[in-house]
């Protein structure tokens, strides 16, 4: 029977970063590529510096300039001032990652961590699809 | 004989969004990952909210702030004021998507639609390469 | 024995663009997808217009507005004024590419070139992971 992608759920406490590197690592086997996909348009998957929390604070500062909450130009604000901002933040920061792996280990650089970046201000449950692809023999 | 990626052509009416979810879906079989790739540097492939057209209007507003047409700082304007803007818009919004699939169905979230975002003001023909990758057994 | 991703090292002269299309092309065989991954959070892999160097000059102008060096709001500046800017530039421009290939040839558009974009002002050695994935039979 052909294998299918795995879906896991991640709870977020509202806007901010959750390091999910270990949780993803635990699902992996073999060598090739691991693809991570969020089934949402208002949260991101990113790789960023995994030590200094100040880097994440500054990412938040910079992206809020490009995608401000409650901008007067927005036509779409059905779910509040962070609604449209969250869609554009997702466009800029992305919703998917592909990570090389060898013998079931992610081949990340020393400073790279995998983070789920929640863009909405309220807590959410986010569905993450994990697909594992074998390398060419 | 090894299978090769499929190329399809999509016509755009100039700057704006075309929902291509069904057109992509029609090409797919099996489980694993579907990779979509535009052979261009002035149009994007994005996933975004598929119901409210106001979301797309606001995406247009926000990206035009980051990549304005006819900025006086541009050195590259061979093809008009939208030329360089289109290249930077493509850099920000991307030109490729990888989508998980199960039994030939895209595993999209409820609100996710696949859009081709034309960044040039005039109509274009855009070449889209579709590659289907099987998951690890 | 299962094949594993390949790692190559690329030296950069400091901030700016290096065309690595030929170097990547030389590593490829078969049909399917080639995945390129930088093991860093302060340099990007991008596809952009491969003829006019003015396009790259303008990309530099535009991204430096979104991610300025030495912004007074930064809390993270351990390695100098380009440190945090480089992290946000990487977030916006990306650190990975997936490229379709047929019979070992990249299926790029006429104007698409693969560039390593160094975001730090000083020279660096950058590790690039190449993974090749076969298409579904």
């Amino acid at each position: 029977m052909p294998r299918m992608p795995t879906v896991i759920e991640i709870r977020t406490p509202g806007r901010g970063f959750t390091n999910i590197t270990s949780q993803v690592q635990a699902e992996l086997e073999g060598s090739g590529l691991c693809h991570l996909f969020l089934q949402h348009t208002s949260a991101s998957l990113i790789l960023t510096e995994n030590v200094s929390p100040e880097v994440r604070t500054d990412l938040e500062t910079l992206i809020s300039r490009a995608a401000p909450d409650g901008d007067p130009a927005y036509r779409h604000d059905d779910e509040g001032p962070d609604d449209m901002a969250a869609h554009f933040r997702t466009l800029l920061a992305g919703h998917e990652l592909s990570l090389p792996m060898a013998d079931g280990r992610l081949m990340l650089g020393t400073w790279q961590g995998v983070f789920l970046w929640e863009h909405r201000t309220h807590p959410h449950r986010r569905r993450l699809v994990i697909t594992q692809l074998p390398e060419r023999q």
Side-chain angles (χ1 to χ4, degrees), chain A:
Chain A
M1 210 178 71
R3 190 188 174 91
M4 288 189 194
T6 304
V7 182
I8 64 177
E9 192 176 86
I10 297 170
R11 289 175 187 233
T12 68
R15 188 169 283 175
F17 300 84
T18 305
N19 190 327
I20 60 169
T21 314
S22 310
Q23 201 170 346
V24 168
Q25 179 61 69
E27 301 286 333
L28 307 181
E29 293 174 53
S31 297
L33 204 67
C34 159
H35 181 256
L36 306 177
F37 179 84
L38 277 185
Q39 289 185 315
H40 305 278
T41 63
S42 53
S44 288
L45 284 175
I46 68 162
L47 274 186
T48 199
E49 212 264 23
N50 55 13
V51 176
S52 165
E54 296 183 333
V55 171
R56 271 108 64 195
T57 303
D58 290 346
L59 291 180
E60 184 61 47
T61 300
L62 287 165
I63 209 161
S64 69
R65 293 182 188 167
D69 287 342
D71 192 281
Y74 295 154
R75 300 201 185 170
H76 177 80
D77 58 2
D78 300 355
E79 298 188 7
D82 61 329
D83 186 354
M84 189 57 220
H87 291 309
F88 194 57
R89 290 161 65 115
T90 303
L91 190 86
L92 294 178
H95 64 277
E96 63 166 316
L97 289 173
S98 293
L99 306 171
M101 56 182 180
D103 289 336
R105 298 291 306 169
L106 290 173
M107 295 177 69
L108 298 177
T110 313
W111 309 99
Q112 288 179 316
V114 182
F115 291 86
L116 194 161
W117 191 356
E118 176 61 67
H119 296 311
R120 301 301 309 274
T121 52
H122 292 296
H124 278 75
R125 295 183 183 196
R126 300 303 194 177
R127 288 168 58 88
L128 173 68
V129 185
I130 304 178
T131 310
Q132 297 180 58
L133 305 158
E135 186 153 27
R136 173 171 60 79
Q137 295 295 318

